[in-house]
Structures are given as C-alpha cells and as structure tokens.
Amino acid sequence: MAAIARLHLLHPSPLPKPSAILSKFSRPSPFFNTNNDSNPRHNGGRSSSGGYRKLSTTSPLRSNPESSSSSTESSQSVVGDLLDYLNESWTQFHATAEAKRQLVAAGFHLLSENEEWELKPGGRYFFTRNMSSLVAFAIGEKYSVGNGFHVIAAHTDSPCLKLKPMSASSKSGYLMVKVQTYGGGLWHTWFDRDLSLAGRVIVRADDGSFSHKLVKIKRPLLRVPTLAIHLDRTVNTDGFKPNLETHLIPLLAMQADKTSSEPDDKAIASSSEDAHHQLLMQILSDELGCKVQDIASIELNVCDTQSSCLGGANDEFIFSGRLDNLASSFCALRALVDACASPEGLADEHAIRMVALFDNEEVGSDSYQGAGAPTMFEAMRRIIACLGQQSVGECGFARAIRHSFLVSADMAHGVHPNFADKHEENHRPLLQKGLVIKHNANQRYATSGVTSFLFKEVAKIHNLPIQEFVVRNDMGCGSTIGPILASGVGIRTVDCGIPQLSMHSVREICAKDDVDIAYRHFKAFYETFSSIDKKLNVDF
C-alpha cells in the first residue's frame, strides 16, 4: 500500500463485520439467506424452487429513508443491490437498460438526444445512446451559468466473445458457433464454462416497422471444451496456448442427420440466409415470442451463466463476471441517486452532478457510443444552453468546463499474493482498503497532483481509506477513459478504481467492503466537492 500523507487515513475506522453489514441491507435479498437450499453460494443463483430469483420491481438505487443519519449511512451496504445489478447485466445493453429502469424508478426524467430539452434547476434527467451508454445528471437548485459539472464516468462493456456476422459452423458431427474476441480477455478462462447468449435483436413487426429487443437465454447453451490431457501431455509444462481462431469455437449441439436442413461450412460461406444455425434462430425466436423470419438482425455476446455471489470463508469477496467495470458503474449511479434523493439533496448545490457510462472502453472508446465520441461534451453544452434562458456564449460554457471535475472510475489491479513482485513495492493496492488513485507520469492515467489532492480531501473529510498505484517502470501500463475525456473535454480528472483480482477473467474477484467504500466515496464527492474545490486556487 502506498504511503499516505494524512495520518488518519492510515487508521480508518473499522468497517462492520460481514454479518453486521448483511443485517442492514436496504431490502431483503435471498443472496444472504443462510439456508443453503436458497443461497446462490450453494446453488448457482437459483431459488429453492429451481428458478432464477426475480429482481425487485422497486428501484435498488433508491436510498433507504431511514438511513439519513451519518452513523446509519456508514454501515448500510449496497452489495446486495450490486449483485442484483450484475446478475441482470449480462451485456452492455442489459446494463444500460437496467440503469435506465432504476433511474426512472428513482424519479429521473428520460430525455431524447433527438428532441428539444426543457430543463430546470433541481431537475434530474438522463438519456441513453445505442442502449449501451448513458448520461444522467441532477441540477443544483442554486445553479447559475458558468458553474461546473461534477462527473463520475465509467464503462458498461467487458471483454467477452461475440458472435460473428456469419456464425454457423459444422465440424465432426457438431453444430458450432463462430465468435470474435472482444477486448483483452483472459481467453483460457472461457474454456469448460457453462455459457449462453445475450444481447439485442432487431425484430420486424407485422406493419413493417422494426423494434429493438433485448434477449437473454439463461440456460447453459454453449461450451468450449478443453482438449484431454492424454492428447496434450505437455500442457502443464508448456502452458495452454489455444489458437483463438480455431480452438475458441463453442459447441451448440450435435449435428442432425444428413437430411437435415443445417448447411455445411461451404454452403454457409455462399449464403447469407444461413448465417446462423436455424436451431439457434429458433431458440431466439422462442425467447422473444416472434417468428424466425421476423428476426432482422442480431448482436449477441457469449456470456457465462454462473451467478454473481459472495465468496470466501467470511463472505468477504464478490465472485462475478464483468466486475470490470459494472461495479464502478453501479456505485456511481447509486451515489448520484442517493445524493439527490432527499428534498434538501440539491437545495444548496451550485453545480450539476453527473454520471456518464460509456461503451467500447475495452477496445479504445473510438465509437458512436464510446468515450471518444463527443457525447458528454455535447450534453454539457446543451444543458448550459437550456438553463441559460437565452443564448449562452462561449465564455459561459468555457467557464463551466474550467469549474468542472471528473472522476474516471475503473477497476484497479489489486496485489496478487502469488505474484506480489508484479507490483512496485510501495504501490501495492490491497483489497478491503478502499479506492485506488491511479498515477502515471506518461499520462496513461489522467491523475495530477492537484486532482489527486482534491479527491483525497473528500476521503479525509469523510474518514474514508484510500490507496495509490503506479505501475513498475519495466512493465506496460493500461489506460482508461480518463485521459480521453480529460483531453477531449478539457476537464480536470482523477483516475481511480476498486482493487480487484483476476481482471479480464470470465470470473473476477473484489472485496465486498471496497464496494461500500467506493459508494460512500462517490456519494461524498457529489455532496462535498463544491465546498472543497472553492478553497483551492491554482492558476491565480
């Protein structure tokens, strides 16, 4: 763990024991039932009746009205709601749709980028783009043109396998599904897993119109089997090195007899009508309740079917896919909603509080729905124009950007106990020790001395632990949307994240306590940053 200048941060108040945290959840959750027959830790996320647990129709983003006191707030956990969110959000589309549902339930008004906006101080709003990115914001009641935006940004996508446009393949008597690799995944972890498909489908209606529908096939549908060790005797000494084009092809079913209408690979290559197996298309149509011929387009991810759950001897861990970066996305959304939930939440706020969730971070963000697009910049300009009552010149918008601050929230590399030498010796983030501020002299992260100080001041005021990280000089460094937005929008930025293990695996690990700390830190950022920022002068 990095040395931290502020002594009190080295000795944070101890967090409640797991049993105490679970007893204070804002709403009951079968995830924490001690009866093993209904506990997802023991049955893969299914209820005692055999079906998957249904999510509550109430918004998990709403704060508990009985948790208004600081003592109650500090002990309330959001982990159960995070598990719900993860289990619902198999794809970036589902993550965005679930965020949309929760925001509407919390009283946020849905906007369209294609229409005029009518905004007012004290209002809460959001819009989606491509149903895979989202921007939500709440306007302080004391806002005036030129005041800043306080933003937390994260991303909705994760490394995964995606179906190819022509996915049907038949080999050695098997029906197989060809896939593309998306992002920098640990692809060996996808072998021998119970996999399925989820994503979006464009469906043709009887009147000739088209609708966008989400689909999720919850049962295990696909599997990528490993080769028996008897046929690969050196795998444990030489390593498992699959060819991602020829070895990473999931099995769908056994091939029917020769009279079947299923085409072989040569026929598939010459016919776009048979781009996908008819068996797969029938499964999709059954799930959607439409005819096969009405499915006009599909965009599907291969997904692991195992439920997100608590793990470890004391239930101190979260075991899940897609923690990078849905854990950050959820904590940011929850913090925004809870910071604005009470009538007085925006009463004394002079700024605009915002969450921005983007797609395609794992592949560089250069897309219509990624952080490389001017989505956030355009939204800020439109908001200021709507609130200005009349034409707002460049001066008003420029002043707003100068007063703004962005928290780029993306998961961080926790120190691995079996590979501790992969970290610089004084910068080894530990699980259960709070958010990690990421530094890089070559600007792979956007953190500066000033932005780091301001974010740590939030932690200081609220007695929250915090850590710092730099990569070793002899190793490469990843990056985030932080530098993209910092340079594209011209906004002060700090990069931070919840520490985790197994990053980019099909199944990742983080600490339950760190999720609650991140939520409280983000909520404190919204509630106190205005007062902190005005105390610091840099360019005067």
Side-chain angles (χ1 to χ4, degrees):
M1 178 177 171
I4 299 177
R6 306 200 177 278
L7 182 60
H8 78 280
L9 292 179
L10 292 174
H11 305 282
S13 300
L15 291 170
K17 293 181 179 180
S19 59
I21 290 179
L22 299 185
S23 68
K24 296 180 179 293
F25 269 31
S26 59
R27 58 187 175 88
S29 172
F31 278 105
F32 308 108
N33 193 321
T34 56
N35 183 341
N36 289 354
D37 291 337
S38 61
N39 190 336
R41 290 188 59 212
H42 302 280
N43 64 15
R46 294 182 182 271
S47 67
S48 57
S49 62
Y52 283 91
R53 182 171 67 81
K54 293 183 179 180
L55 294 176
S56 169
T57 56
T58 59
S59 170
L61 286 179
R62 283 198 183 278
S63 60
N64 188 337
E66 298 178 358
S67 63
S68 57
S69 68
S70 59
S71 60
T72 304
E73 179 181 316
S74 64
S75 62
Q76 185 183 8
S77 176
V78 298
V79 171
D81 294 333
L82 169 63
L83 292 173
D84 286 349
Y85 184 71
L86 290 166
N87 284 318
E88 184 65 20
S89 304
W90 279 20
T91 72
Q92 69 276 33
F93 306 117
H94 290 83
T96 304
E98 178 61 11
K100 173 184 175 181
R101 183 191 70 81
Q102 294 176 2
L103 286 166
V104 169
F108 280 65
H109 300 282
L110 176 62
L111 303 172
S112 170
E113 287 191 283
N114 299 331
E115 299 174 357
E116 291 288 333
W117 292 358
E118 293 184 7
L119 311 177
K120 62 181 181 180
R124 295 170 293 170
Y125 310 91
F126 77 99
F127 66 87
T128 66
R129 177 178 287 192
N130 190 51
M131 194 47 69
S132 64
S133 63
L134 176 148
V135 174
F137 56 96
I139 305 167
E141 292 187 14
K142 294 186 177 180
Y143 174 83
S144 62
V145 173
N147 293 350
F149 293 81
H150 300 161
V151 190
I152 302 176
H155 63 89
T156 59
D157 62 318
S158 302
C160 66
L161 304 176
K162 292 179 178 284
L163 258 62
K164 290 184 175 180
M166 301 180 69
S167 70
S169 176
S170 301
K171 293 182 180 181
S172 303
Y174 296 97
L175 298 184
M176 309 182 75
V177 178
K178 291 186 177 181
V179 294
Q180 304 178 73
T181 56
Y182 175 84
L186 290 172
W187 302 121
H188 66 275
T189 66
W190 287 74
F191 283 74
D192 294 336
R193 300 289 302 183
D194 295 345
L195 306 173
S196 194
L197 292 169
R200 69 170 167 195
V201 178
I202 305 300
V203 178
R204 182 185 296 103
D206 292 338
D207 62 1
S209 63
F210 297 90
S211 61
H212 163 280
K213 293 188 177 182
L214 299 187
V215 64
K216 180 194 299 181
I217 303 171
K218 294 183 178 180
R219 66 182 178 91
L221 188 68
L222 305 171
R223 195 172 176 100
V224 185
T226 49
L227 184 63
I229 193 170
H230 313 82
L231 305 178
D232 189 9
R233 291 287 187 181
T234 63
V235 66
N236 288 329
T237 54
D238 296 346
F240 181 45
K241 302 174 182 178
N243 182 294
L244 300 184
E245 177 63 23
T246 59
H247 298 157
L248 195 60
I249 307 177
L251 305 182
L252 174 66
M254 295 300 299
Q255 191 169 16
D257 57 44
K258 295 295 184 179
T259 61
S260 170
S261 61
E262 286 289 348
D264 58 23
D265 276 358
K266 291 183 179 179
I268 292 168
S270 61
S271 174
S272 59
E273 294 181 1
D274 296 316
H276 307 286
H277 288 301
Q278 288 302 305
L279 175 59
L280 174 58
M281 298 302 291
Q282 187 61 56
I283 291 172
L284 290 173
S285 69
D286 291 344
E287 190 74 21
L288 292 165
C290 68
K291 300 176 183 177
V292 171
Q293 56 267 33
D294 289 334
I295 297 178
S297 177
I298 64 175
E299 187 175 351
L300 301 178
N301 296 359
V302 176
C303 306
D304 186 49
T305 60
Q306 185 174 358
S307 297
S308 304
C309 63
L310 296 182
N314 297 310
D315 280 343
E316 62 262 66
F317 301 123
I318 296 174
F319 296 161
S320 175
R322 307 174 303 282
L323 287 173
D324 177 17
N325 191 33
L326 293 185
S328 304
S329 298
F330 172 83
C331 288
L333 281 167
R334 179 65 175 260
L336 175 66
V337 171
D338 285 0
C340 307
S342 64
E344 63 274 11
L346 295 171
D348 294 323
E349 181 60 81
H350 294 261
I352 296 173
R353 300 169 180 174
M354 178 180 282
V355 161
L357 307 180
F358 296 101
D359 193 5
N360 298 137
E361 187 275 344
E362 297 293 355
V363 292
S365 297
D366 291 333
S367 69
Y368 167 73
Q369 57 274 356
T375 310
M376 197 173 84
F377 186 85
E378 290 174 350
M380 290 174 164
R381 185 183 291 278
R382 289 187 71 171
I383 293 167
I384 293 173
C386 288
L387 295 173
Q389 301 298 326
Q390 54 188 350
S391 178
V392 178
E394 284 294 320
C395 181
F397 181 71
R399 286 189 293 114
I401 297 299
R402 298 292 82 75
H403 285 117
S404 298
F405 192 93
L406 170 71
V407 177
S408 169
D410 204 347
M411 303 297 280
H413 298 288
V415 63
H416 193 304
N418 299 331
F419 301 91
D421 60 340
K422 294 294 185 180
H423 279 73
E424 199 276 334
E425 61 181 350
N426 291 324
H427 299 84
R428 292 176 173 171
L430 298 171
L431 271 61
Q432 297 186 322
K433 299 297 183 182
L435 281 172
V436 178
I437 296 180
K438 306 175 186 179
H439 301 261
N440 184 262
N442 296 306
Q443 293 301 296
R444 298 293 290 171
Y445 303 128
T447 305
S448 69
V450 170
T451 60
S452 174
F453 165 76
L454 290 169
F455 198 59
K456 285 189 287 187
E457 281 295 297
V458 175
K460 174 187 175 183
I461 291 172
H462 293 268
N463 195 30
L464 295 168
I466 202 159
Q467 308 179 74
E468 295 183 277
F469 168 78
V470 294
V471 72
R472 289 170 54 113
N473 290 328
D474 56 358
M475 295 180 65
C477 181
S479 191
T480 69
I481 60 177
I484 296 171
L485 294 172
S487 59
V489 178
I491 186 172
R492 294 174 297 168
T493 302
V494 63
D495 266 296
C496 71
I498 299 169
Q500 73 164 101
L501 302 175
S502 303
M503 186 178 287
H504 287 195
S505 170
V506 72
R507 199 77 178 162
E508 300 173 321
I509 308 172
C510 74
K512 178 179 64 179
D513 289 351
D514 288 326
V515 170
D516 286 322
I517 294 170
Y519 157 70
R520 299 207 306 272
H521 201 146
F522 293 162
K523 185 170 181 283
F525 165 73
Y526 285 128
E527 294 174 335
T528 61
F529 187 79
S530 290
S531 61
I532 294 171
D533 191 33
K534 67 183 181 181
K535 297 177 181 179
L536 175 66
N537 291 326
V538 175
D539 295 312
F540 290 91

